[in-house]
Amino acid sequence: MAGSLQVRYGEIRSMNLTSRTTMEARARFLKSVRDFFSSENFLEIDTPCLKKVPGMEPHLDPFSVRSPSGQESGYLITSPEYSLKQALSAGLEKVYEISHTFRSGEKGSRFHTAEFLMLEFYRTRIDLNGLMDLTENFLRAVDLNRILGSGEKKIPRRSVRELLKTIAGCDWDRSSLEEKIVASSLTRLPLEELEYEDCFYLVFLNFVEPSLPSEFQFLYDYPPEMAALARIEDGCAKRFETYFGSLELGNGFFELSDPTEQRLRFSSERKLREKLGKEAFPIDEEFLGALDQGLPACSGNAIGLDRLFLTLQGEETLARVSPYWARLDR
């Protein structure tokens, strides 16, 4: 690409200097993101990137930060989710943030960087279908190269359970997943050592994800064991993921608002982190206090903007579009 530095995978550099054309396109893209949410009367807010208590998600590891004196310490956020929900509990109804987020161990892939831009937006009084409608309108608004077409064709919505049955030939209960894992020789580990989520992803990532067509699509309703911060209704976790082909771009929830249930989930996640040999963080009492205060019925979506920009530009690696493409290990 004209005007860009040659980027070699594994090279240590503090900033990935992309071409002038890419930087200008990225600026237009970010402007279109803000223009859309302004037109929808969302309030852009800022939340802390450095927090004392990080998220509890078992498979995400934050960077720890400590001052030279050792008297100040904290973690760089893996998501601004808790803070944005606290804003909703204070009475706001439509909020969004374009946040710098950080995740340790994100290397070895064309689509992962330790630092990246995360768009998160939340709106009260809409369910999962309403959130998919809002997300589709957003994607069409920022699709400056019009890869989505005229808008006559809606973005397909596909049930995760039906995809498993149709493509992998199994259901999502653990016994069905284990049968598929054994029949397809997907792991050498004893099945009793696997968590439910391990079983699900062994099947999903080997069969479903590679079979997804090269188009935007919403995969909705996940197993209840994978609810995270989503509500469970009719035996399904009310969440959806946005994909383009086999690349995951975003994760949306019909948000859990029950503080008692949320505390139970935090406790389960904390135990899983301990089982995995990871640091077990304190439960975020400030966030639970916001739920106690009252979080209105709402839905929210988290979208990786670097991946979305890559997709809309027709590129195949973040090395071509992201200033954060840099190795931090030695």
Side-chain angles (χ1 to χ4, degrees):
M1 184 176 293
S4 65
L5 296 178
Q6 293 296 317
V7 178
R8 297 188 296 273
Y9 182 77
E11 181 179 359
I12 297 176
R13 100 178 35 247
S14 60
M15 175 179 173
N16 182 39
L17 189 61
T18 57
S19 72
R20 174 177 175 175
T21 300
T22 298
M23 286 189 276
E24 290 173 342
R26 186 180 176 93
R28 290 192 297 270
F29 167 68
L30 292 176
K31 182 179 184 299
S32 71
V33 172
R34 289 189 164 94
D35 286 347
F36 171 78
F37 285 105
S38 176
S39 71
E40 294 287 326
N41 297 313
F42 276 69
L43 182 67
E44 181 176 11
I45 63 175
D46 295 314
T47 65
C49 283
L50 178 61
K51 300 186 73 173
K52 192 67 178 177
V53 180
M56 193 71 79
E57 214 284 343
H59 302 290
L60 297 181
D61 295 314
F63 285 95
S64 60
V65 178
R66 185 175 298 276
S67 66
S69 68
Q71 295 180 350
E72 299 169 290
S73 63
Y75 299 88
L76 296 174
I77 62 167
T78 59
S79 162
E81 178 174 6
Y82 295 178
S83 296
L84 289 169
K85 288 181 179 176
Q86 286 175 246
L88 292 181
S89 73
L92 296 177
E93 296 184 349
K94 298 179 179 180
V95 298
Y96 81 99
E97 181 174 12
I98 297 174
S99 173
H100 288 262
T101 47
F102 306 84
R103 296 178 181 179
S104 174
E106 301 282 316
K107 59 183 180 179
S109 162
R110 294 175 292 145
F111 305 117
H112 291 86
T113 51
E115 179 181 1
F116 59 99
L117 276 190
M118 177 83 85
L119 165 69
E120 292 209 14
F121 56 95
Y122 294 82
R123 180 175 175 177
T124 60
R125 297 192 295 276
I126 60 169
D127 61 10
L128 202 67
N129 285 317
L131 183 62
M132 284 190 274
D133 291 340
L134 178 61
T135 302
E136 177 160 1
N137 292 339
F138 163 73
L139 291 173
R140 293 191 182 281
V142 301
D143 178 21
L144 303 181
N145 293 328
R146 296 292 177 260
I147 68 172
L148 272 165
S150 65
E152 295 177 0
K153 179 186 176 184
K154 299 284 287 182
I155 292 178
R157 302 180 182 189
R158 300 183 166 108
S159 159
V160 169
R161 193 171 196 174
E162 290 306 312
L163 287 173
L164 279 171
K165 290 179 179 179
T166 303
I167 298 173
C170 68
D171 208 335
W172 68 20
D173 61 280
R174 180 165 183 133
S175 61
S176 296
L177 293 171
E178 287 184 349
E179 288 178 11
K180 186 65 178 180
I181 290 167
V182 171
S184 304
S185 302
L186 298 181
T187 182
R188 296 180 180 177
L189 293 173
L191 293 177
E192 59 269 17
E193 291 185 11
L194 301 179
E195 300 294 330
Y196 174 85
E197 195 166 335
D198 299 324
C199 296
F200 175 85
Y201 277 121
L202 275 171
V203 176
F204 183 84
L205 296 179
N206 279 284
F207 291 97
V208 177
E209 199 173 81
S211 301
L212 296 174
S214 295
E215 62 182 0
F216 283 103
Q217 56 215 283
F218 299 142
L219 274 52
Y220 69 91
D221 284 356
Y222 276 71
E225 294 89 345
M226 299 173 63
L229 274 72
R231 299 185 185 208
I232 297 174
E233 294 181 353
D234 301 322
C236 299
K238 304 308 290 184
R239 50 178 288 204
F240 77 95
E241 294 191 1
T242 301
Y243 271 83
F244 185 87
S246 60
L247 181 62
E248 180 196 345
L249 301 173
N251 202 348
F253 293 166
F254 187 23
E255 302 292 346
L256 178 66
S257 58
D258 181 346
T260 302
E261 173 64 22
Q262 186 62 74
R263 183 179 292 278
L264 290 172
R265 294 192 194 179
F266 278 160
S267 296
S268 296
E269 289 177 339
R270 194 173 195 277
K271 290 176 182 177
L272 180 54
R273 288 192 68 87
E274 291 174 340
K275 182 179 178 180
L276 295 173
K278 297 185 176 185
E279 182 179 1
F281 307 117
I283 288 176
D284 192 332
E285 296 292 346
E286 184 180 358
F287 174 63
L288 290 178
L291 296 189
D292 277 323
Q293 180 178 322
L295 180 67
C298 63
S299 294
N301 205 348
I303 295 177
L305 287 182
D306 303 300
R307 285 189 181 186
L308 178 57
F309 179 58
L310 169 148
T311 299
L312 297 175
Q313 291 294 108
E315 296 287 3
E316 297 183 353
T317 172
L318 290 174
R320 299 293 293 270
V321 300
S322 171
Y324 315 117
W325 180 267
R327 294 286 297 275
L328 298 178
D329 53 343
R330 295 182 182 276

